[in-house]
Amino acid sequence: AKFAAKITHPGVAQVYQAGELEGLLYYVMEFVDGQPLSAFLKKARFIASHAADAPALLEAGYLKPPDPNMPYFLRDLIAPPLEDPAYLANADALIASIADILAAVHSLDSVHRDIKPSNIMITSEGRVKLVDFGLVKQSIDRDITMAGQFVGTFDYMAPEQFRGRNSQISPASDIYGLGVVYYELAGLVKPFEGDDPAALIGAITSSPPADPREFNAKISAARARVILKCLAKEPSDRFASAAELAAAVRELDDSRAGNFVDGLKNFFYGLFSFGAGDESDAPRANVHGGAHPEAGGASAITRREALSGAGPASADGRTVSRKLFEEAREEYFQNFVTAAVQEKLKQSFDID
């Protein structure tokens, strides 16, 4: 309570008083009008597994239409959130806000050690509040902090917290916990699960997490890299600070990338586009895969012709080739080089 009272960040629930009354210790804290993030995740998992039943549940009144005036993570759900185009952007903003709060905590040479959805509150005004500083509960439940053995919550604890190396408990441990929350938000699954605490601990300390895109194909490659960097086994391989993590997450927002991304796109579009004017000016691939020096001339030879001996591609073939090329280009600027980009380019050049 004394530690929490020292933090004046708006993202930390304030502590006003602490004392003892009739043999019981107590403290008085700020009332947070809202819900923990764990409540949203519970609803999200339910609706994801009962999507087919949603219309009937909505008609019967068990589900309520979401109120657009409510903060995003307090709204009711009538469809799986992973289908919402705005979902990941909202998740990014939430994670960046929590990272900002952790930066303030870490600036006091302290580590929260129990970052998890139930300790992340969303207020009715849409603000984020971090709660439960240093509270140790005595329980054998792996989802509860265990006094005298481990400090933290098993599912969200960093590998070093299980290795008895207390000297290595650092802000990087909180970054790992927030990475688990990010992974869970993005794909509605945790990176590690086990049938018992021993299996769970073994997975956290020894096994690499699956790529989160396996659970949500809408996660970009850049976003996946940020999440997995948070979950690195070694603390030194994670983000150097919570502030660095917040900056990395915010850079995922294309609208904030500004002129750099626009300039990059324009450069490559101009270099590799088919051209806005006469398509006869478009460079064509020669036998070696480069642009033919006499692009558009009679001596130009397509890769398709070189490989199959066939004549020039038909108008329909060129249309298909161009469509594949543009799809590959779009994929590249979303996720950079992927197997899909390479395959579409290969198909495009094979046709024309």
Side-chain angles (χ1 to χ4, degrees):
K2 289 180 179 179
F3 170 75
K6 291 190 296 184
I7 305 177
T8 57
H9 193 281
V12 173
Q14 296 298 295
V15 172
Y16 300 122
Q17 186 179 6
E20 183 176 348
L21 178 65
E22 297 180 357
L24 295 176
L25 298 174
Y26 73 90
Y27 72 94
V28 182
M29 67 180 294
E30 172 188 358
F31 173 67
V32 180
D33 180 17
Q35 293 182 357
L37 182 60
S38 55
F40 171 83
L41 288 168
K42 184 177 180 180
K43 289 188 292 186
R45 289 193 181 95
F46 173 83
I47 201 67
S49 61
H50 295 81
D53 302 324
L57 293 172
L58 183 64
E59 184 178 357
Y62 290 103
L63 296 179
K64 298 179 181 178
D67 182 354
N69 296 318
M70 291 284 288
Y72 190 88
F73 291 102
L74 294 186
R75 297 175 190 172
D76 291 304
L77 296 173
I78 58 174
L82 299 189
E83 298 177 1
D84 181 1
Y87 177 68
L88 286 173
N90 279 278
D92 292 343
L94 177 62
I95 294 298
S97 295
I98 301 167
D100 288 339
I101 300 170
L102 283 178
V105 174
H106 297 162
S107 70
L108 298 176
D109 295 325
S110 298
V111 182
H112 188 282
R113 296 191 295 180
D114 204 11
I115 301 299
K116 58 183 179 181
S118 59
N119 284 343
I120 298 167
M121 298 290 294
I122 313 296
T123 74
S124 58
E125 298 175 345
R127 290 180 293 149
V128 183
K129 294 278 187 178
L130 192 59
V131 302
D132 199 358
F133 286 84
L135 298 183
V136 180
K137 305 178 180 70
Q138 296 188 33
S139 171
I140 60 172
D141 187 336
R142 69 181 176 92
D143 194 40
I144 300 294
T145 303
M146 297 174 64
Q149 185 174 1
F150 300 116
V151 179
T153 303
F154 278 20
D155 295 295
Y156 303 90
M157 285 171 61
E160 62 269 21
Q161 290 179 272
F162 293 106
R163 294 172 182 164
R165 290 150 45 181
N166 290 329
S167 61
Q168 291 196 15
I169 303 301
S170 68
S173 302
D174 282 347
I175 290 173
Y176 180 96
L178 186 54
V180 177
V181 175
Y182 199 2
Y183 191 109
E184 188 175 6
L185 264 178
L188 299 185
V189 296
K190 296 173 184 174
F192 299 107
E193 295 184 351
D195 295 333
D196 55 71
L200 178 62
I201 294 172
I204 292 172
T205 56
S206 304
S207 302
D211 190 314
R213 289 174 290 181
E214 293 184 14
F215 307 102
N216 182 2
K218 294 181 180 179
I219 297 174
S220 66
R223 185 178 283 105
R225 284 193 295 270
V226 171
I227 294 172
L228 294 175
K229 185 171 182 177
C230 292
L231 300 180
K233 299 298 182 189
E234 293 300 324
S236 60
D237 293 332
R238 299 170 202 152
F239 288 95
S241 66
E244 183 180 292
L245 169 58
V249 173
R250 290 190 171 104
E251 286 176 2
L252 297 173
D253 183 355
D254 291 339
S255 67
R256 296 180 67 91
N259 294 333
F260 172 77
V261 171
D262 291 339
L264 185 67
K265 286 184 177 181
N266 290 336
F267 172 78
F268 280 104
Y269 280 6
L271 200 61
F272 297 121
S273 69
F274 278 96
D278 186 354
E279 290 190 11
S280 66
D281 292 332
R284 304 181 66 148
N286 64 15
V287 177
H288 301 290
H292 197 283
E294 298 179 35
S299 61
I301 181 172
T302 68
R303 185 169 183 265
R304 174 179 177 270
E305 292 169 35
L307 293 177
S308 65
S314 66
D316 289 343
R318 285 194 296 272
T319 299
V320 172
S321 174
R322 179 171 182 167
K323 184 175 186 297
L324 287 167
F325 181 94
E326 291 176 345
E327 288 176 356
R329 185 172 59 188
E330 181 71 20
E331 169 75 11
Y332 173 82
F333 284 112
Q334 287 181 356
N335 299 315
F336 291 96
V337 178
T338 66
V341 170
Q342 295 172 332
E343 180 61 24
K344 287 181 184 295
L345 283 178
K346 179 180 181 299
Q347 293 174 1
S348 175
F349 286 128
D350 282 347
I351 294 171
D352 184 4

